[in-house]
Amino acid sequence: MSSSETTGTRSIDLSAAHAALWLAATAFLALLALYFVGVDQGAVSLFGSDTHVHEFVHDARHLLGFPCH
C-alpha cells in the first residue's frame, strides 16, 4: 500500500502529454468561441442565412470591437 493510499490524497498527472492535451482542447474551444463571436456572419456562416448565432452574440461582438453592421 502506498503512502498516497493511506493518507487519502491523489497524485496529479503533470506529464507533458497531459498538458499538451489540455492546451490543444483549450485552444480549440477558444478558436471556436472566436469564430462564433467574431466571424460567423454572411458568406462564412456555418448555418447558411440563419442569423440566430449572430443575434445571440451581437452584444459580445460590439463589446470586443468586432464590426457587424
Side-chain angles (χ1 to χ4, degrees):
M1 186 176 269
S2 69
S3 64
S4 65
E5 291 176 8
T6 59
T7 60
T9 60
R10 292 178 29 184
S11 64
I12 299 173
D13 183 11
L14 297 176
S15 66
H18 189 74
L21 179 64
W22 274 101
L23 179 63
T26 302
F28 175 75
L29 291 175
L31 288 173
L32 188 64
L34 181 66
Y35 172 79
F36 279 115
V37 172
V39 181
D40 187 49
Q41 70 176 18
V44 294
S45 179
L46 290 177
F47 302 105
S49 62
D50 189 19
T51 61
H52 284 94
V53 173
H54 175 82
E55 295 302 324
F56 182 73
V57 297
H58 188 259
D59 292 338
R61 294 174 67 88
H62 289 293
L63 178 70
L64 295 173
F66 288 101
C68 65
H69 51 82

